[in-house]
Amino acid sequence: MTSPSPHEPIILLDPHPRKISRIFDDATKRRLEKIATVLWHDGSPASAGHLDRYLPQAIALIGQSPLDKARLDRAPNLRAVLNVESNFLLNVDYAECARRNIPVLSTAPVYAQPVDEPGRTTPNTLLAAHRLGKEFKGDNHDSFLLHGKPLAIIGYGNLGRALHPLLKAFSREILIHDPWINDSVIRDTGAIPASLDECFSRARVVFIVAAITDENAGKIGARQFARMQPGSVVILGSRAALVNFPELLAAARSGHIRAGIDVWPEEPIPVDEPGRTTPNTLLAAHRLGSVPEIQTLIGQFVADDLEAILAGRAPSRCQRADPTTVHRLRSIPVGAWSLADTTRKPQ
């Protein structure tokens, strides 16, 4: 990598755990290089020395580098921070960025459709087949049609909003629970605002697609599952920590509910994970968002919004961090990151 001249504006990359080759196609690379000199760092997280050396020249940071106030003081030209890990992590002083009018953006909206499309088809599979160990029983004597059945969405963020129109083809009775959204907003979509307990007691299929926060971690458990009609379905598609996982598996093991699970307390899924052999479940290994064709959309979203910001327009592709609520989120980083990595301080 050729070092830029001392006063040259740069775009600083620290995309780990993403790989540049996965998220930036050649056309998007050229777009970024027309904006400024790009430091194409790849592989492991950028070192503190590398970041501190180039932050004074950076007009944009693409990645998940720790940014406390002291480090932001070293970045007087910074115009945008673009998180390509696609979670808002506890590694940024969001209030200080807001004070400096530096938008902190996440590419999370990229994943809404590829996560939700398989999520919509999973109930049909569960209704027609029960998993017994590694085998499927082919009869469908206790299945039911989704058409005309009440359905529920827990969480109305990126995933919930993408899932909702897909479910409208099946039902006119769609319940939505999201305490961060006013009931009138939900009604305006044609859905029914409902409490958490109402969603589980009324819906035949409940889609759990909420973000994880301080308030809702482990909140869904035996009480909610017991309220469901026998044979109803739970689809867990966002964060495992939203549910009491042993109680979810117990409800499926008893035959009272069926469960489609894409997210797990520990990933990769351990070989001795009880969910591997729990009947009345379908398993996926956090792969719903890994559709190859959408990976390069991450880079395209970044380029679109960076061009907009530098032209004096508002970003419209990525999700912007809300400094009043972002500190309540507790997303677990993907890939090789641990929670300690997201909170590490500049060295």
Side-chain angles (χ1 to χ4, degrees), residues 73-286:
D73 286 340
R74 297 180 55 83
N77 300 304
L78 193 63
R79 300 282 300 280
V81 178
L82 299 112
N83 179 313
V84 294
E85 197 265 3
S86 300
N87 285 306
F88 289 124
L89 306 174
L90 302 179
N91 63 333
V92 173
D93 189 332
Y94 292 96
E96 185 64 21
C97 285
R99 190 185 71 79
R100 299 176 187 224
N101 198 29
I102 301 172
V104 182
L105 306 172
S106 165
T107 54
V110 164
Y111 289 98
Q113 187 170 354
V115 169
D116 286 326
E117 285 189 2
R120 179 182 64 164
T121 60
T122 299
N124 287 320
T125 305
L126 277 164
L127 296 175
H130 295 187
R131 200 191 70 162
L132 301 174
K134 296 183 179 180
E135 298 179 355
F136 285 88
K137 183 172 64 177
D139 64 84
N140 61 354
H141 66 280
D142 56 356
S143 64
F144 60 86
L145 296 175
L146 291 182
H147 183 74
K149 301 298 188 299
L151 308 173
I153 301 172
I154 309 299
Y156 205 57
N158 293 318
L159 299 184
R161 290 172 190 263
L163 176 62
H164 186 190
L166 301 179
L167 297 183
K168 286 183 177 180
F170 294 108
S171 177
R172 294 182 180 180
E173 187 179 355
I174 298 176
L175 294 83
I176 294 177
H177 174 71
D178 193 321
W180 287 22
I181 297 178
N182 191 280
D183 286 355
S184 62
V185 174
I186 294 174
R187 291 191 189 96
D188 286 345
T189 69
I192 303 167
S195 69
L196 188 64
D197 285 350
E198 286 174 327
C199 286
F200 281 89
S201 62
R202 291 173 59 181
R204 294 306 309 274
V205 183
V206 176
F207 297 84
I208 303 174
V209 289
I212 186 72
T213 70
D214 290 336
E215 295 91 347
N216 66 14
K219 187 174 182 179
I220 299 172
R223 167 181 166 154
Q224 285 74 35
F225 304 136
R227 298 176 70 94
M228 301 185 77
Q229 298 177 53
S232 294
V233 176
V234 171
I235 305 298
L236 180 57
S238 55
R239 292 288 179 259
L242 289 165
V243 305
N244 182 311
F245 217 79
E247 291 178 0
L248 171 64
L249 296 182
R253 186 180 300 110
S254 73
H256 182 66
I257 68 167
R258 286 165 271 185
I261 306 172
D262 182 55
V263 287
W264 297 82
E266 184 179 348
E267 297 175 356
I269 307 172
V271 294
D272 59 351
E273 163 59 50
R276 287 180 176 270
T277 55
T278 299
N280 305 312
T281 62
L282 283 180
L283 279 62
H286 209 151

